[in-house]
Amino acid sequence: MDLTDYRKEIDRVDAELVHLFAQRMEICANIGAYKKEHNLPVLNAGREREKLNAVAAAAPEELADYTRILYSTLMELSRSYQARLNGGGNELTNRIEKAIETTPRLFPSNVSVACQGVEGAYSQLACSRVFRNPDIHFFPSFDAVFTAIEKGECRYGVIPVENSTAGTVNKVYDAMMSHHFSIVRSVRLRVDHNLLVNPGVKLGDVKEIYSHEQAISQCSEFLGKLEGVQVIPCANTAMAAEMVARSGRKDIAAISSYACMRNSGLESLATSSQNQDNTYTRFICISRELEIFPGADRTSLMLTLPHEPGSLYRLLSRLNALDINLIKLESRPIPDRSFEFMFYFDLDVSVYSPRIMELLGEIEQLCDSFTYLGSYSEVI
């Protein structure tokens, strides 16, 4: 036999497999209807485990693991098909549909917004990109911004989540676990760090430099070339500039924005101090209530998965089956729970697509816990 003959054999077997697959899914549909009629859960973990062990034992030894993977995928598809035929909707999808209907068509402008830091902070600059005439309230920490939204002190909050060179803002992702909020928009802001000093100070005079840890990371190459200088993290780049200006000292500097230089009366000894010129920080705009504005084409999720082999794979395979593009996957350790992690997903899919509704109708079956963080669009 040559390659053409082998391919013909594959085609013949595939035709049989497709026919048998269709038969199997039809039977699964009948099982799903029965479960719905008798108020039974779609997932029967014990039955699936027994089935996987049985098919693996029946397969040739060298194919046992492959057979287990194949049937695990078949079972995932079967549950998905049953959920779709039985409506697939749940309380969450109903809430999303209501939010789409009730959210104003235009994004608000003159509203109260919480930001971390002081005037000139990058959060404030990002806020001005999102809102036309915001009433900005400043808070000392990211946690305080989340709390202000939860308590209704401000309608919205703007918080940084990641940088194109320094990576994720871990403190923000950790704070997400303990607060209730929804993401309504995101924005990317170009970062341009400056070394700011009091008037008349020369670079050789500087012995201490203050800034936020993310800015320090973003300017690591520049800072690494300075000899005899101590780099000290602080809560915010704008706070660093404010502290330098108030001190009047000639031996300290701040890594901060050009806006802070104008606001504080400082001078810049070095512009564009970041490692890469094309550096961006991504911010999210959050609210207490679920609001989904027109054009929402990104969805964020927060979830924990069973601590067992294949749990993440099963979720990723579901995204693949639904043709949903995963654009960010972040994991953070859960406090007081050894070797357990919270996962954050950003999905590139329109909230109006039936694919995302199908996923959200089924995803709780795959997770130990699950939080829908919102659907939104990004300002560039």
Side-chain angles (χ1 to χ4, degrees), residues 224-243:
K225 297 175 182 177
L226 303 179
E227 297 182 359
V229 175
Q230 184 180 6
V231 181
I232 304 171
C234 63
N236 184 274
T237 56
M239 290 179 176
E242 190 177 70
M243 184 270 293

Side-chain angles (χ1 to χ4, degrees), residues 156-178:
Y156 298 105
V158 173
I159 293 182
V161 289
E162 62 179 322
N163 180 267
S164 57
T165 57
T168 298
V169 185
N170 291 330
K171 289 182 179 179
V172 171
Y173 277 92
D174 291 341
M176 288 183 182
M177 298 185 206
S178 56

